[in-house]
Amino acid sequence: MGHGQGQDRPDTRTRIQDAATVLFRRNGYAGTGLKQIAAEADAPFGSIYHFFPGGKQQLTEETVRTAGAAYSCMVLALLDSVADPVESVTHAFATAADDLEATGYADACPIATVALEVASTNETLRIATADVFTEWIAAGEQWFARWVPDPGTARSLAQSLIMILEGAFVLARAARDREPLCAAGRSMAALLRSAIEEAGRPSA
Amino acid sequence: MGHGQGQDRPDTRTRIQDAATVLFRRNGYAGTGLKQIAAEADAPFGSIYHFFPGGKQQLTEETVRTAGAAYSCMVLALLDSVADPVESVTHAFATAADDLEATGYADACPIATVALEVASTNETLRIATADVFTEWIAAGEQWFARWVPDPGTARSLAQSLIMILEGAFVLARAARDREPLCAAGRSMAALLRSAIEEAGRPSA
DNA sequence: GTCTATAAGGTGATAGAC
DNA sequence: GTCTATCACCTTATAGAC
């Protein structure tokens, strides 16, 4: 434990990054102030620039990459928790709906709002969000490859899952209704079922 | 034409709203300033409060509702321009990819960025975006109902089309790549094809 | 009705005390 | 290294001149 902390409270740097993750996810990049982040993290304002000399952009880039990787791990673990692939996809969307509802329709995708905000305004952050999505697609492709032999089909399924999930988050947060996520789960299950069926009859 | 304008330039109020539509779509709600809108519209700053006494919120609400309705009309006209439904969906996604590429990956959904930004922070604007999405789903359901008899299936297809399009816009803008929109078109075509097939054999 | 000047407060960022 | 005070700028909004 090194020089010891005396409490189980995370260090200042971690608290700042965690607070930034929460606030960017709910209020977006432009809608979140550094003072607000410092307050939420219970850290002095100057500490932000001590740990993130690059200012708001550096803090956001690290937040996007870290939260993006964590979300990927979380979703893959969720998908692995059910044996049947079609049931697993359905279950994953239902769980996403549960989480969204439980957080008052606040905690959806950790980077989507920022991604749309910076796509045309900040090249460094745009690339950070693009890298995260690329990693998600690669991970999803690997998962689908277990059930669908053709790599192109597996990749297409991974892309579609991410896209329909992102779109469902937009509609569900706007309407404060879980139904879009349920509909998304049904469509994604149908898509996967078709792909598995197709692979089952290698006639074509 | 009433008291005449002398030029074909739109009136001040329209110019302000058009400028706001463009800027909110590209930079989002919090990322766009009223001064920036006035400059882009070539209108004096005070005119914004003259025509929109409710300030930024009122301007945004009208912009969201107007741009949302216009986008719906545009997409429906596009879908009606091709006879075969599956080909039409494929064509619509390809056209969306063309438009996005032509605008430097700036002009995607006119309200998605704002929708995510305000979902947890501004109830009035959240409802405005939710109303727009509701209208889109209803219009899409009517269109799909021409090819799929079951209303629930038609509604599900409309939801899925909007969700996968929204998600594809997020990925395409982040990556500056049209491929996500192409993949989305293929998935949506497959979904529709299955639904039409299913309706064709009324055995189940 | 069109437009300018200003108000009150928030922003990201920095300098410097301790 | 932790934290405070301050900077210059920008924000939304308003008051009032023309």
Side-chain angles (χ1 to χ4, degrees):
Chain A
M1 286 289 183
H3 48 70
Q5 185 85 8
Q7 289 173 312
D8 60 355
R9 188 197 204 199
D11 62 20
T12 305
R13 204 197 134 98
T14 304
R15 291 203 317 277
I16 289 171
Q17 205 167 316
D18 289 349
T21 301
V22 169
L23 290 169
F24 286 146
R25 195 202 300 227
R26 300 193 183 192
N27 309 332
Y29 176 71
T32 303
L34 293 182
K35 289 201 172 130
Q36 194 182 356
I37 293 171
E40 178 85 9
D42 195 30
F45 180 76
S47 294
I48 292 180
Y49 283 89
H50 176 71
F51 292 109
F52 304 91
K56 192 179 190 180
Q57 178 175 297
Q58 184 191 343
L59 171 58
T60 307
E61 181 173 4
E62 292 198 25
T63 294
V64 163
R65 293 188 186 277
T66 303
Y71 196 71
S72 171
C73 288
M74 198 263 285
V75 172
L76 284 174
L78 186 62
L79 287 172
D80 282 336
S81 70
V82 177
D84 178 76
V86 176
E87 276 178 34
S88 177
V89 164
T90 304
H91 172 256
F93 277 85
T95 304
D98 290 342
D99 290 349
L100 192 62
E101 212 175 358
T103 58
Y105 293 93
D107 289 0
C109 174
I111 69 160
T113 311
V114 175
L116 286 180
E117 283 183 281
V118 304
S120 300
T121 59
N122 186 315
E123 193 66 359
T124 302
L125 294 180
R126 193 215 102 216
I127 291 171
T129 62
D131 288 347
V132 169
F133 288 132
T134 299
E135 183 216 326
W136 288 4
I137 292 170
E141 180 181 340
Q142 270 196 294
W143 189 84
F144 281 114
R146 290 193 228 163
W147 322 105
V148 176
D150 179 56
T153 306
R155 180 182 161 77
S156 181
L157 285 168
Q159 278 184 300
S160 295
L161 183 139
I162 294 164
M163 292 189 292
I164 206 165
L165 178 64
E166 292 290 358
F169 276 147
V170 176
L171 266 61
R173 287 191 73 199
R176 295 184 81 83
D177 186 345
R178 61 181 294 152
E179 203 226 340
L181 277 163
C182 300
R186 287 193 302 271
S187 289
M188 196 58 222
L191 230 37
L192 176 57
R193 208 179 293 119
S194 295
I196 292 176
E197 241 173 58
E198 194 100 0
R201 61 176 143 81
S203 55
Chain B
M1 285 291 179
H3 48 70
Q5 185 83 7
Q7 290 172 311
D8 60 355
R9 190 195 202 200
D11 61 20
T12 304
R13 203 196 134 97
T14 304
R15 290 204 317 278
I16 290 171
Q17 204 167 318
D18 290 349
T21 301
V22 169
L23 290 169
F24 286 147
R25 195 203 301 228
R26 300 193 183 193
N27 309 331
Y29 176 71
T32 302
L34 294 181
K35 284 201 171 129
Q36 195 182 355
I37 292 171
E40 178 86 8
D42 195 30
F45 180 76
S47 293
I48 292 180
Y49 283 89
H50 176 71
F51 292 109
F52 304 91
K56 192 179 189 181
Q57 177 174 300
Q58 185 192 343
L59 171 57
T60 307
E61 182 173 4
E62 292 198 24
T63 294
V64 163
R65 294 188 185 278
T66 303
Y71 196 71
S72 171
C73 288
M74 199 261 287
V75 172
L76 284 174
L78 185 63
L79 287 172
D80 282 336
S81 69
V82 178
D84 179 76
V86 176
E87 275 178 35
S88 177
V89 165
T90 303
H91 173 257
F93 277 85
T95 304
D98 290 342
D99 289 350
L100 192 62
E101 212 176 359
T103 57
Y105 293 93
D107 288 359
C109 174
I111 70 160
T113 311
V114 174
L116 286 180
E117 283 182 281
V118 305
S120 300
T121 58
N122 186 315
E123 193 65 0
T124 302
L125 294 180
R126 194 216 103 216
I127 292 171
T129 63
D131 288 347
V132 169
F133 288 132
T134 299
E135 183 216 327
W136 289 3
I137 293 170
E141 180 180 341
Q142 270 196 293
W143 188 83
F144 281 113
R146 289 193 229 164
W147 323 104
V148 177
D150 179 56
T153 306
R155 179 183 161 79
S156 181
L157 285 168
Q159 277 184 301
S160 296
L161 183 138
I162 293 164
M163 293 190 290
I164 206 165
L165 178 65
E166 291 290 358
F169 276 146
V170 176
L171 266 60
R173 286 190 73 198
R176 295 184 80 83
D177 187 346
R178 61 181 294 153
E179 203 225 342
L181 278 163
C182 299
R186 288 193 302 271
S187 290
M188 198 56 223
L191 230 38
L192 177 56
R193 208 179 293 120
S194 295
I196 292 176
E197 242 172 58
E198 192 99 1
R201 61 177 143 80
S203 56

